[in-house]
Amino acid sequence: MFGKILIANRGEIACRVIRTARKLGVRTVAVYSDADAKALHVEMADEAVHIGPSPVGESYLRGDKIVAAALATGAEAIHPGYGFLSENPDFVDQVTAAGLVFIGPSAASIRAMGLKDAAKRLMETAGVPVVPGYHGEAQEIVLLASKAREIGYPVLIKARAGGGGKGMRRVDHPDDFSEALSGARREAKAAFGDDRVLVEKYVDKPRHIEVQVFGDNFGNAVHLYERDCSAQRRHQKVIEEAPAPGMTPALRKAMTEAAVKAAKAINYSGAGTIEFIVDASQGLKADRFWFMEMNTRLQVEHPVTEMVTGVDLVEWQLRVASGEKLPKTQGDIALAGHAFEARLYAEDAAKGFLPATGTLHHLKFPDAATEGAAMRIETGVRAGDAISPFYDPMIAKLVVHGKDRATALGALREALARTEVAGSTVNTAFLAALAADADFAAGDVDTGLIGRHQEALTAIPAPGDKTIAAAALAATDAGAPGPVADPWSTLSGYAHFHALARRIRLHYREENILARVSARPDGRFQVALEAPHDAVNTHDLRTMPHAVRWPGHVTVFEGAVGYTFTVPDPLAKADEAGAASGSLRAPMPGLVKLVRAAAGDAVIKGQPLLILEAMKMEHMIAAPHDGVIAEIATEGAQVSDGTVLVRFADTEGS
């Protein structure tokens, strides 16, 4: 076993690797960028090395700096985690050329599976079924459009490099092919440095089912059963589970055998995942699945496999990379119970899952799972940490295990209801709504489920009067334990003729709310709300929803929903720039990738104006209303959250 390893990653996965290394007595070296100087993975590791500025291209993608850090600290091996350089064969060559061990597959194996088109040709040769489509080298638009017509619409354009839904477009009509191809190419180029694509038949009711495989350097390869990752938004996974609901013995046998065959075809060593697309339109059948791609690394969702098999996959990675054989044979690996993983993101589900930023002023996870279930929280952040625009906005993974699917799903719902995040927009309520969805609960899930139910899944009911009262109380620090943050806001004190009261103004979305909070002699409070709300008597603060106060805001938690109210500073100057509807602002930090209009253009509501690239994904910015453009952002401009992208001409009196 290694004495010391370097982890070429950050956040949750770096912390995950550190925990297993510590269990095995292996010392760890973390690397970090400027933005991560005080990150949790830096604190947890035995040593840490600074590798550059915050942008990934200047830090976590600098293989030369990472190898130099490993050599300087005496590390014997490098664990890549997932993302960043984990599937870069050139980085593997750098590592091995420096006399270090790469904790993962060989560069040859990564190259064999790194490009989707070449991988599918290889799998066809190995006898593994592949999705009907065009996987060739030629990339002329005329040829690709012709192949799409041959395949039959709808088709899916996919970047041949990378994953995570980037560089992927569904096309339903030939007239839309050119536009979709351009968008897929731009996104693929930005994310992977490769704008080449493949075109495949779009399966009408697709299930995304993947098989965890593991190989060693002695020719052995096993599977650790399957995971279902069909619950996706924008081609990115949201909730994963193991085993797949509705899985039949015949399909499991066919898929796992195909997965092991695929791994052996490239002499695979380490943890890997064979991803299949399954046509579920007529149930799960052994002849209706096709190879999609192989991820030659540890997956984000690997904990669900660990929960149902009892195997520590990171430990296996370290053992195999250090020269040991697989710890178990296929017959020793049993499947027990059911597990779910929910990805908690800083994102606005109601706005098309736009990534969000912010400081996590309040962060609280459940202490334990419900009775009869097990739980683990995988995270790389703490309260007070910031979600920056530089990296993936995942906050944590909530992983639960139960004796069966119903027990595990109940534990997941309860865990989400007891998770509290304030300081950034998060998807907790969306995850809870998905976990409660009737089709999802029944196991009737496919990759289109979220899209079909998106409006209902992302809808947040307006806060009730009791919620508003809790926010008003929190804004005054009424009933707060310990010292009051603002002594001038306290309601405690003496009043001879009448109860002490304080007038509170709150903002919730577009609504201005006025409340009068009164302290009663017996220690209780009364909150009087202006119409259309009613007075709320808070006889016992313990019955009120839990609320937390953070700079300029109050967040009230009701189950998985967090209602955030703005508490205006009466001394602050009004923001004149945002008062009018004459401008369109950036919803997040990003790069203005493409501009489709110019100053002086008359535009109509919904017309695309520009494309903003943020976190390697493209977001279309459209006109919010009819008007004439006075100014528009410059193509290639880097903008921050709230930057004016478009200013409309004042048409009053015209």
Side-chain angles (χ1 to χ4, degrees), residues 473 476 478-479 489-495 498-502 516-527 538:
L473 285 169
T476 64
S489 299
T490 182
L491 291 175
S492 61
Y494 173 76
H498 54 80
L500 287 168
R502 185 183 171 201
R516 186 176 294 276
V517 182
S518 302
R520 296 169 49 155
D522 60 2
R524 294 180 294 172
F525 298 88
Q526 182 184 61
V527 182
T538 60

Side-chain angles (χ1 to χ4, degrees), residues 337-388:
H338 202 98
F340 285 95
E341 174 184 286
R343 301 189 189 188
L344 182 63
Y345 278 102
E347 66 180 13
D348 193 336
K351 292 183 178 178
F353 303 101
L354 284 178
T357 57
T359 299
L360 303 175
H361 291 284
H362 176 79
L363 182 63
K364 182 181 178 182
F365 298 113
D367 295 327
T370 53
E371 187 175 350
M375 179 183 67
R376 60 194 256 197
I377 305 295
E378 299 283 350
T379 186
V381 296
R382 303 147 296 187
D385 287 350
I387 303 298
S388 79

Side-chain angles (χ1 to χ4, degrees), residues 102-375:
F102 181 77
I103 303 175
S106 67
S109 293
I110 295 175
R111 286 190 174 99
M113 289 298 193
L115 298 176
K116 296 182 179 69
D117 51 356
K120 287 178 179 179
R121 293 194 294 269
L122 176 63
M123 289 300 98
E124 284 180 308
T125 302
V128 178
V130 301
V131 182
Y134 173 71
H135 309 129
E137 290 289 339
Q139 293 289 299
E140 294 81 6
I141 185 172
V142 174
L143 174 67
L144 294 175
S146 173
K147 293 296 182 182
R149 284 193 297 272
E150 289 178 16
I151 296 165
Y153 286 90
V155 298
L156 197 63
I157 301 172
K158 298 172 65 175
R160 75 170 196 160
K166 299 177 180 68
M168 187 180 294
R169 297 289 191 278
R170 172 180 169 166
V171 191
D172 294 301
H173 193 275
D175 292 346
D176 302 324
F177 187 84
S178 177
E179 177 80 9
L181 177 62
S182 297
R185 281 176 165 168
R186 282 194 307 271
E187 204 166 83
K189 185 69 173 178
F192 317 119
D194 185 345
D195 66 357
R196 286 170 288 182
V197 300
L198 49 86
V199 183
E200 293 180 343
K201 178 66 180 173
Y202 184 85
V203 180
D204 287 328
K205 191 175 182 181
R207 289 270 296 272
H208 181 147
I209 301 177
E210 59 190 32
V211 176
Q212 176 73 59
V213 293
F214 220 108
D216 62 20
N217 295 310
F218 300 90
N220 302 307
V222 297
H223 71 80
L224 291 95
Y225 302 96
E226 81 281 352
R227 298 183 288 258
D228 194 301
C229 305
S230 302
Q232 301 178 6
R233 89 287 188 266
R234 299 178 63 172
H235 304 294
Q236 293 182 309
K237 301 166 187 176
V238 175
I239 295 180
E240 303 97 345
E241 59 182 301
M247 176 58 72
T248 65
L251 179 58
R252 176 173 288 145
K253 182 175 186 295
M255 288 184 75
T256 54
E257 287 180 353
V260 172
K261 185 186 297 184
K264 287 186 174 181
I266 57 171
N267 300 313
Y268 196 78
S269 175
T273 299
I274 310 296
E275 299 194 351
F276 295 101
I277 195 79
V278 182
D279 183 353
S281 58
Q282 299 177 15
L284 298 183
K285 296 186 176 181
D287 62 348
R288 302 296 289 170
F289 75 96
W290 302 279
F291 171 85
M292 192 162 51
E293 63 185 3
M294 181 178 189
N295 287 305
T296 52
R297 54 171 167 79
L298 198 66
Q299 291 280 87
V300 178
E301 59 272 20
H302 76 274
V304 294
T305 293
E306 294 183 324
M307 294 291 253
V308 295
T309 62
V311 170
D312 183 332
L313 292 174
V314 175
E315 179 179 339
W316 278 31
Q317 284 186 301
L318 296 178
R319 291 192 180 282
V320 166
S322 67
E324 297 182 24
K325 289 185 177 180
L326 287 176
K328 292 185 178 183
T329 63
Q330 191 66 68
D332 297 326
I333 304 170
L335 186 64
H338 202 98
F340 285 95
E341 174 184 286
R343 301 189 189 188
L344 182 63
Y345 278 102
E347 66 180 13
D348 193 336
K351 292 183 178 178
F353 303 101
L354 284 178
T357 57
T359 299
L360 303 175
H361 291 284
H362 176 79
L363 182 63
K364 182 181 178 182
F365 298 113
D367 295 327
T370 53
E371 187 175 350
M375 179 183 67

Side-chain angles (χ1 to χ4, degrees), residues 415-426:
L416 289 166
R418 292 190 286 138
T419 296
E420 298 178 355
V421 184
S424 177
T425 303
V426 292

